[in-house]
Structures are given as structure tokens and as C-alpha cells.
Amino acid sequence: MVDKQIKKLVKLEAARQIGVINLIASENYISDGVLTALASPFINKYAEGYPGARYYQGNSVVDEVEWLCIERALKLYKLSPQKWHVNVQSLSGAPANFALYYALVPLGEKIMGLALDSGGHLSHGHKVSLTGKLWSQVPYGVSRIDERLDYDEIRAIALRERPKMIVTGYTAYSRIIDFKKFRAIADECGALLHVDMSHFAGLVAGGVYPSPFRYADTVMTTTHKTLRGPRSAIIFVREEHAKKLDKTIFPGMYGGPHMNQIAAVAVCLFEATQPSFKRYAAQVVKNSKVLARSLQSLGWRIISGGTDTHLFLVDTWMEGKGIGGKEAAERLEAAEIIVNKNAIPFDTRPPTDPSGIRLGTAAETTRGKKKEDMIEIAERIDSCLKS
């Protein structure tokens, strides 16, 4: 590389990543195959439009790439191409959610999503997001008793507010979601059911988390979390919504898709069909459970009492007996353990310094970590935060 400054920074970041314990729940480490596709000559090609209907010439190869990516997405999640349509041109999760709403929910209408402090995502209609400015969010939360979804309360809110879409699938909720109950609630109030499975898409692919496709009208996932691919997103919609979605993506939101990114997604989808990926997904959940239990045994309160997935929240504030999430995250980073500060349900502290941290095991499991490593990591976290 001729650019010495960037070359130096690349080396520094590579060294940083190697030298830390990465517990960021939304990060992972891609394979050499995914990296090769990202850095391939596909990055040079402008391919505005869709396969077989491009606005530029010279797209015979990239058409094959996009078709292959779509085919692999359907195969991985065992979906019928007659019933489901896939769009792989979104650049990341938030704009993918935005595109879905714009395609299917009239502006100003209600979108019902989990409140941010209960584990929801900004792009699920939160007021600081464009999704909360162009649509009206109807928030729901978790129970004060067990910090889990209260489906009776969710139903009551949905029947009262009559949203056009209900969003499930979250960024900081550690329990398995009952998609069947959400489907029943959506049907009763006349809403579409959208599942954002960005965090657990790899767990679904690996068979350790229930698939939402039987119950959902639309599904979106990023590809860089438990799916272990590049930073990108995939949108799945029932066939009757296909035209509206595709027109919203192009020409509505994007010009030329990033074909190198789509090629890299195709690689990660192939990798997720391999037997080794199922073993990986199972180990991710095992590691998460061990890490949560180990921290509990050391006196830390785990939100909802544990986890069923790759992530969980730790209450570091513990009603003033501990430390704030910001300080906790900074202390851990100084000790080369990387987490993020995170609000916990019914948090009384500000988002900039909330009461907890979020931990995830997908990245360290990719590095080969097992049960004994999780116990050791818990002890290091405990020592750091109590010092």
C-alpha cells in the first residue's frame, strides 16, 4: 500500500482486534473467504437496477452473483421462492428497516416497537431516528417483574393503538421471542408483523433459535453479527410485497448496489450451511449462558435472570452499589475487554451513562473460546469492575 498513513492505521486496528477480548454483541470476525470477496474486482462494477434489468452494460457476471446470493438466502432459511422474495441490496440494517416501512406503512401511521430501554433498536420507530419522525412509534416494554416480554400487555397496547406494523426482534433482549404469539396479536389488530432478526440470524441458521419465517410478513437481518458475514443487510418479504419493496430500494433509496458486498454476503450464506456453523452457533449460546451464570455467581445482576441467546445485559449500577455503565465499559476497555454501555429496563440514568453493559459471545466463540474461557473472562470482568 502506497498510503503509509492508512497502512499504519490498518496495522494498528488489526493489532487492537487481536489483543482484546471482544464482547461486543453486534460484532464478529469474518472468514478469509468473505474478506476476499469484499476486496474483489466486483467493487469496480456499477450495477444500477436488478439482475436481468440493469441500467448499465457489462453486468453478466454480477447478475450471477446477486442471483446466487438470493438463492443462498432462501436455501439457508428453507424458504420457498414462490412464497418469499429476497432483496440483498441494502447496505445495512437501519436503512433496510426504513425501506421496509416506507414500502408498506403509509407515512405518519403507527409502528409498534420495543422501547429503547427495554432492548429495542433506534430504527424500530424511536423518536430520535427518522423512523420515529416519519412514522409514529407505539412503544411497548418488558415486565417490571421478570424483565421479559409481557404478551398480554403487548396485546392490550396493540388492540388499543391499532398499529399498521408490529416490530419484534431486538438489539438487547436476551430471551427467545414467541413469534406465534406476536402473529396472533398482529392478526387481531390488523397489523403486519415485521421481524428484525439481525442479532439472532446466525442462531436461526444454526438451529439454536426458532425461525420467525412461519409467522412473519417481513424479515430483515444484518449479516455481520451472529451470521458472521460483512456489514450488510438482507430483506425477506412475502411475495405479495415484493414489487413495493424493490421499488423502494431502487430507484427509491439507492443507485448502484455494492456488488463486492453482495458477493461477500453470498460467501457467508454458503458458510452458514456447513456443519461447522451449526456447531459454532450452539457453542455461542453455551458460552453466553456460562458467562452469564459465572457473573451471577460473582454477585452481578443479569437482566431477566439469564440468557437464551448470544447476548445479555449486566446491571453494573445495582441501585448505587456498583458503577455506571460508561465507567464500567471504560474500565474494561483499559483492561482490554471490549463491551458497550447499555440501558437496562426502567433505567433511571441517561443513555450517555446508563446503568448497565451489554455482553455478547459471538466474536470470541469464532476465536475458539469455550466454557472454561468464559469462566475466566467473568472473573476478569469482576476483578476489573470491583477494583
Side-chain angles (χ1 to χ4, degrees):
M1 183 185 288
V2 175
D3 190 330
K4 293 182 179 179
Q5 288 176 292
I6 291 296
K7 184 178 181 180
K8 178 183 177 181
L9 292 172
V10 169
K11 287 184 176 180
L12 285 172
E13 176 59 15
R16 185 201 67 80
Q17 290 186 18
I18 291 169
V20 301
I21 294 172
N22 184 3
L23 299 179
I24 299 289
S26 51
E27 292 184 2
N28 213 324
Y29 297 103
I30 60 173
S31 69
D32 289 343
V34 172
L35 186 60
T36 298
L38 276 174
S40 69
F42 289 122
I43 199 169
N44 300 323
K45 189 69 194 91
Y46 208 85
E48 194 174 83
Y50 290 104
R54 305 289 189 184
Y55 285 78
Y56 290 70
Q57 301 309 118
N59 286 289
S60 59
V61 178
V62 296
D63 277 2
E64 292 294 328
V65 169
E66 190 163 343
W67 273 320
L68 182 60
C69 189
I70 290 167
E71 177 186 317
R72 287 179 174 178
L74 290 166
K75 179 181 178 181
L76 180 61
Y77 294 107
K78 300 177 176 61
L79 304 176
S80 165
Q82 285 73 47
K83 295 180 179 179
W84 285 92
H85 175 76
V86 182
N87 189 300
V88 295
Q89 293 193 6
S90 287
L91 304 183
S92 59
N97 276 332
F98 186 94
L100 262 173
Y101 305 156
Y102 196 86
L104 302 178
V105 182
L107 293 177
E109 287 287 359
K110 296 175 181 178
I111 294 173
M112 187 169 164
L114 188 66
L116 209 61
D117 68 352
S118 290
H121 192 262
L122 288 168
S123 67
H124 296 175
H126 192 273
K127 62 183 178 181
V128 301
S129 163
L130 279 178
T131 61
K133 298 180 187 301
L134 298 180
W135 294 275
S136 175
Q137 190 199 41
V138 175
Y140 60 94
V142 295
S143 167
R144 285 186 177 273
I145 298 171
D146 59 7
E147 296 170 314
R148 301 190 187 204
L149 295 171
D150 182 338
Y151 294 96
D152 290 336
E153 177 64 18
I154 293 168
R155 175 178 178 272
I157 295 171
L159 292 177
R160 181 177 70 244
E161 298 290 342
R162 299 284 172 175
K164 294 295 182 182
M165 177 178 280
I166 297 176
V167 182
T168 184
Y170 316 112
T171 188
Y173 182 75
S174 65
R175 297 302 185 172
I176 287 175
I177 299 163
D178 191 329
F179 299 117
K180 184 177 181 180
K181 288 183 178 179
F182 267 107
R183 177 74 266 166
I185 293 168
D187 287 343
E188 197 171 356
C189 72
L192 292 170
L193 179 61
H194 173 50
V195 177
D196 182 342
M197 68 170 187
S198 295
H199 267 279
F200 51 84
L203 306 184
V204 173
V208 293
Y209 196 102
S211 172
F213 287 98
R214 178 180 175 184
Y215 303 104
D217 295 296
T218 61
V219 176
M220 190 284 295
T221 184
T222 55
T223 54
H224 54 272
K225 300 181 177 78
T226 53
L227 201 51
R228 207 160 55 178
R231 296 189 64 85
S232 189
I234 306 173
I235 303 174
F236 303 82
V237 295
R238 297 279 180 179
E239 187 58 40
E240 59 264 32
H241 304 305
K243 289 183 179 179
K244 287 183 178 180
L245 174 66
D246 281 355
K247 286 183 179 179
T248 299
I249 296 291
F250 176 83
M253 287 181 62
Y254 299 121
H258 296 186
M259 293 310 305
N260 61 315
Q261 192 177 34
I262 291 173
V265 171
V267 174
C268 91
L269 294 172
F270 169 77
E271 292 175 349
T273 63
Q274 304 307 301
S276 60
F277 191 87
K278 289 186 180 295
R279 294 193 293 272
Y280 162 74
Q283 190 63 52
V284 167
V285 176
K286 288 177 184 176
N287 284 349
S288 183
K289 289 177 180 290
V290 170
L291 183 58
R293 285 197 300 265
S294 298
L295 286 168
Q296 275 181 321
S297 70
L298 293 167
W300 296 99
R301 190 176 82 85
I302 307 302
I303 299 306
S304 83
T307 181
D308 302 319
T309 68
H310 66 299
L311 62 77
F312 58 91
L313 299 178
V314 183
D315 179 356
T316 59
W317 182 243
M318 295 194 292
E319 297 181 343
K321 298 175 184 177
I323 60 175
K326 182 175 184 292
E327 182 181 352
E330 289 173 348
R331 280 198 201 179
L332 289 170
E333 183 174 18
E336 299 184 325
I337 300 172
I338 310 300
V339 305
N340 66 275
K341 61 179 181 286
N342 212 99
I344 65 174
F346 313 105
D347 209 331
T348 57
R349 294 171 62 83
T352 53
D353 187 13
S355 297
I357 55 175
R358 183 182 65 162
L359 278 61
T361 55
E364 287 303 314
T365 305
T366 293
R367 288 172 149 181
K369 297 290 196 303
K370 298 288 179 62
K371 174 181 176 180
E372 55 274 16
D373 301 298
M374 294 300 115
I375 295 170
E376 181 181 339
I377 289 170
E379 291 170 350
R380 286 184 60 181
I381 290 172
D382 179 68
S383 176
C384 182
L385 297 186
K386 288 180 179 177
S387 62

